[in-house]
Amino acid sequence: MKEIILISGVTGLTSSDVFKRLNLSEDYEVIGFSRNSNNSYSEEKNNFIKGDASDFNFWLEMLLKFKPETIIIHSNLRHFLPFIKAFEFSNLNKYPRLIVISTTGVYSRFKSLS
């Protein structure tokens, strides 16, 4: 049985590469999602879902539907809180491996990134 991996923010530069590379393996079923569907794999892959990682209900739906073994959050660090609340609410029996990739935007001169 393939390991299910859920990745947020797959239309971004780093996540898009991780998404593509993991999809090359026969060992994984990779489900990627992003708010932005203006990207090449949203058309060529059937494992892309348009969704918002800041939405508790979206996370809950993804957790209950796919029951992923690994979750990679590579969107905004603020999306971790809706995820953790959804995970606690889901009552899943098994804890997934969680990888959170953030940004150095806190050091940015632009207030919107910090």
Side-chain angles (χ1 to χ4, degrees), residues 2 16 35-36 38 44 49 54 65-66 69 78 83 87 101 109 111:
K2 292 183 176 187
S16 64
R35 286 186 314 238
N36 180 5
N38 296 329
E44 63 189 56
I49 298 169
S54 68
K65 181 176 182 179
F66 295 109
E69 285 89 359
R78 287 172 255 178
F83 158 76
F87 180 77
I101 303 170
R109 64 182 177 180
K111 297 256 185 224

Side-chain angles (χ1 to χ4, degrees), residues 2-3 8 10 49 61 74 85 90-91 96 99 108 110-111 113:
K2 292 183 176 187
E3 178 180 342
S8 71
V10 297
I49 298 169
E61 179 185 342
H74 192 257
K85 287 179 183 176
S90 72
N91 289 324
I99 302 167
S108 173
F110 302 106
K111 297 256 185 224
L113 297 176

Side-chain angles (χ1 to χ4, degrees), residues 9-18 39 41 74:
V10 297
T11 55
L13 180 64
T14 304
S15 294
S16 64
D17 192 46
V18 171
N39 202 299
Y41 17 80
H74 192 257

